Amino acid sequence: LDEPLQKTFCFPPIREWDISQDIDHILETQSALAIDLGGTNLRVAIVSMRGKIVKKYSQANPKTYEARIELILKMCAEAVFDAVHLNCRILGVGVSTGGRVNPQEGVILHSTKLIQEWSSIDIRTPISDALHLPVWVDNDGNCAALAEKKFGHGKGVENFVTIITGTGIGGGIIQHNELIHGSTFCAAELGHIMVSLDGPECMCGSRGCIEAYASGMALQKEAKRLHDEELLEVEGMVDLKKAEFVSAIHLINAARLGNSKAGAVLRTGGMALGVGIVNILHVVNPSLVILSGVLATHYQAPVQQVIGQRALTSAQRIQVLTSDLEEPALLGAASMVLDYTTRR
Ligand code: ADP
Ligand code: BMX
Ligand code: MG
Ligand code: CA
Ligand code: ZN
């Protein structure tokens, strides 16, 4: 209608429809609740469609099944409540957890000692019963791989592997754009690649696993040992008597400040991780390895060096990158929800 006619019939002015604004709005509001259960921490987050962590909640992961489920439900209830005020519409819940997971059943089949009382656990039912939302579950390393694929360096990469270092070491393998789970959901337990016939004891009951050399827990154990022998502290470091607890970070600081014993522990960790990764290259031949977690930046150079020295020529042309994602396991848990609920 031309303007005079529009005025005559009192039509409201026609708003120009901006589709990009509407899509933006949907992408901002549609969200997932993500849960990550690790050897130390229990995290819950509201994650938007674009992979933005809108709000995050952290607690120590309780040591018993009952306390853990209770805390998960309490943290989720708080997040669901907050989501309303944050204008986030929760489409479902994604759970990332240590242990072997059957994603079809939503069951944690088995866990190492890193998470006690966490074997043969149906995690889907209590969460979906309490929140009336659909629930997806997978292993934390596998979730980290999903996050890299959707939001990180793994975007558009057909074959890649990710290694996430926290208390333990988790892994995820994307082969032909899909996660591999194996015949009994034990594929990509990359922390338990063994790099020596004996070596340090691992939480899985074996020895010589890369987790026993290079994880946060392994480095913390070595830091404590050096500290007990009064061999950790060097000039320029924070006063360790005042430090609440000795961690992998103190070991890294000590090594930086010239403590040769701390340096040797870190070198062994880097070497073990590097050799483990060379083994992975020779099994699945990915084009990219993504390191994530608290120690990733410290391991990138040693891993690259070991690959250069020990991998077969055909496996040498591989990129090793450090993840640029804030919380890969949480984001991957969210991605399961966002991918399934918005699939057309
Ligand atoms: P989870 O294993 O529970 O998934 P995180 O990924 O949060 O835990 O990592 C926690 C572990 O990482 C701790 O057990 C500790 O060994 C290590 N860690 C935590 N903070 C730091 C830090 N600032 N520097 C180095 N290591 C750290
Ligand atoms: C352990 C194992 C893995 C897990 C990895 C990283 C359990 C409970 N955990 O190797 O399944 O991926 O730890 O876990 O069996 P995080 O605690 O370091 O996050
Ligand atoms: Mg973790
Ligand atoms: Ca895994
Ligand atoms: Zn092990």
Side-chain angles (χ1 to χ4, degrees):
L1 292 175
D2 55 17
E3 218 179 325
L5 267 181
Q6 205 172 33
K7 274 191 187 137
T8 317
F9 293 107
C10 299
F11 285 155
I14 295 163
R15 178 177 76 97
E16 236 179 75
W17 185 41
D18 182 353
I19 191 164
S20 71
Q21 241 182 30
D22 287 2
I23 289 173
D24 271 359
H25 183 69
I26 290 168
L27 292 178
E28 289 308 322
T29 57
Q30 295 202 322
S31 313
L33 212 59
I35 303 172
D36 177 39
L37 290 135
T40 307
N41 297 305
L42 163 50
R43 296 196 180 88
V44 170
I46 303 167
V47 181
S48 81
M49 196 82 174
R50 286 225 177 84
K52 186 177 152 234
I53 295 179
V54 180
K55 189 158 182 182
K56 188 165 80 176
Y57 312 78
S58 276
Q59 294 283 337
N61 190 354
K63 303 275 177 245
T64 65
Y65 165 79
E66 254 136 51
R68 190 173 299 130
I69 291 285
E70 196 181 310
L71 185 57
I72 292 171
L73 296 181
K74 189 168 157 260
M75 290 168 82
C76 285
E78 191 184 341
V80 166
F81 178 82
D82 291 347
V84 176
H85 301 283
L86 292 163
N87 195 23
C88 292
R89 202 162 73 82
I90 306 285
L91 302 172
V93 184
V95 184
S96 146
T97 176
R100 270 56 61 209
V101 172
N102 177 336
Q104 281 101 51
E105 304 289 332
V107 168
I108 298 133
L109 301 168
H110 174 256
S111 288
T112 70
K113 283 186 286 182
L114 211 54
I115 309 184
Q116 306 275 341
E117 300 189 16
W118 209 232
S119 297
S120 305
I121 304 293
D122 170 4
I123 181 75
R124 174 178 288 155
T125 306
I127 297 175
S128 64
D129 281 357
L131 302 180
H132 304 286
L133 287 166
V135 178
W136 285 266
V137 192
D138 210 331
N139 164 268
D140 52 8
N142 297 5
C143 286
L146 291 178
E148 297 296 346
K149 184 166 175 283
K150 192 170 171 72
F151 304 115
H153 293 311
K155 254 187 272 177
V157 183
E158 199 182 334
N159 299 299
F160 74 89
V161 167
T162 192
I163 299 229
I164 179 160
T165 315
T167 316
I169 291 185
I173 302 177
I174 298 282
Q175 193 74 298
H176 306 308
N177 297 309
E178 300 281 346
L179 271 181
I180 63 164
H181 286 95
S183 60
T184 58
F185 308 101
C186 196
E189 273 294 345
L190 302 180
H192 305 284
I193 286 181
M194 284 163 232
V195 293
S196 67
L197 293 182
D198 34 35
E201 276 180 23
C202 184
M203 293 300 273
C204 71
S206 183
R207 23 185 5 128
C209 302
I210 58 175
E211 180 172 298
Y213 282 103
S215 63
M217 183 180 239
L219 296 190
Q220 184 176 40
K221 210 157 139 191
E222 289 302 294
K224 278 188 178 143
R225 187 180 58 78
L226 289 177
H227 183 52
D228 289 347
E229 293 167 16
E230 293 182 357
L231 293 171
L232 186 60
E233 216 162 330
V234 281
E235 222 177 288
M237 262 175 89
V238 287
D239 184 357
L240 283 178
K241 279 171 213 81
K242 285 190 201 134
E244 261 176 56
F245 65 98
V246 177
S247 78
I249 272 298
H250 297 109
L251 193 84
I252 290 165
N253 279 342
R256 275 211 192 108
L257 292 166
N259 182 328
S260 61
K261 290 210 158 36
V265 171
L266 273 182
R267 268 195 304 283
T268 305
M271 177 89 179
L273 184 63
V275 170
I277 289 175
V278 169
N279 290 332
I280 299 167
L281 303 187
H282 293 165
V283 177
V284 288
N285 190 203
S287 63
L288 167 67
V289 173
I290 305 168
L291 304 176
S292 67
V294 281
L295 299 163
T297 49
H298 303 285
Y299 283 138
Q300 189 172 357
V303 164
Q304 251 154 350
Q305 198 182 7
V306 177
I307 292 173
Q309 292 161 346
R310 310 282 283 266
L312 287 167
T313 311
S314 311
Q316 292 274 349
R317 281 165 53 89
I318 162 114
Q319 247 192 320
V320 180
L321 296 176
T322 296
S323 174
D324 57 5
L325 301 177
E326 191 192 325
E327 289 273 4
L330 270 176
L331 290 178
S335 84
M336 296 189 286
V337 178
L338 301 171
D339 283 354
Y340 282 106
T341 52
T342 57
R343 189 179 276 175
R344 292 284 169 263

